[in-house]
Amino acid sequence: SLKSFLGSAGTGKHWHHIVEQSQIQKSGFTSEQVNNTSNVVAVDAGVHAQITGHYNTTKFLFTGGLSVRDYLAGQPFDVQFDYGMKILAQFGVIK
């Protein structure tokens, strides 16, 4: 319903949740925490795919063999939000 409220992200863009929607179930966040305008940003479709790949990867030592997504599960919302913002900056979405 958030995407219906926001409308299109723009030509060639997708809406990206900074704290992922999967964390509603994995971390026990409320839908209101995750599905709100403060937690979404329009991202180029190709960059969005790269960011999704980052969250799926298990190659980082800090995750102990887990995907980044699963490593973040259970961590506080602000920790996950800060991590998401860092990744958006790393991929050039924000400065």
Side-chain angles (χ1 to χ4, degrees), residues 5-84:
F5 172 76
L6 294 173
S8 171
T11 303
K13 294 185 178 252
H14 294 167
W15 288 115
H16 170 72
H17 285 79
I18 299 165
V19 174
E20 294 189 309
Q21 289 179 299
S22 68
Q23 297 302 338
I24 294 170
Q25 190 147 38
K26 290 178 181 268
S27 296
F29 300 144
T30 66
S31 179
E32 290 78 19
Q33 285 176 287
V34 175
N35 293 313
N36 71 71
T37 57
S38 298
N39 189 52
V40 273
V41 62
V43 177
D44 177 79
V47 173
H48 192 237
Q50 292 176 327
I51 292 171
T52 299
H54 171 84
Y55 278 90
N56 286 332
T57 193
T58 58
K59 71 179 182 178
F60 299 115
L61 293 176
F62 72 89
T63 67
L66 298 172
S67 68
V68 172
R69 178 176 290 111
D70 288 339
Y71 169 78
L72 289 169
Q75 295 189 37
F77 188 89
D78 62 330
V79 169
Q80 294 193 40
F81 187 86
D82 290 347
Y83 185 85

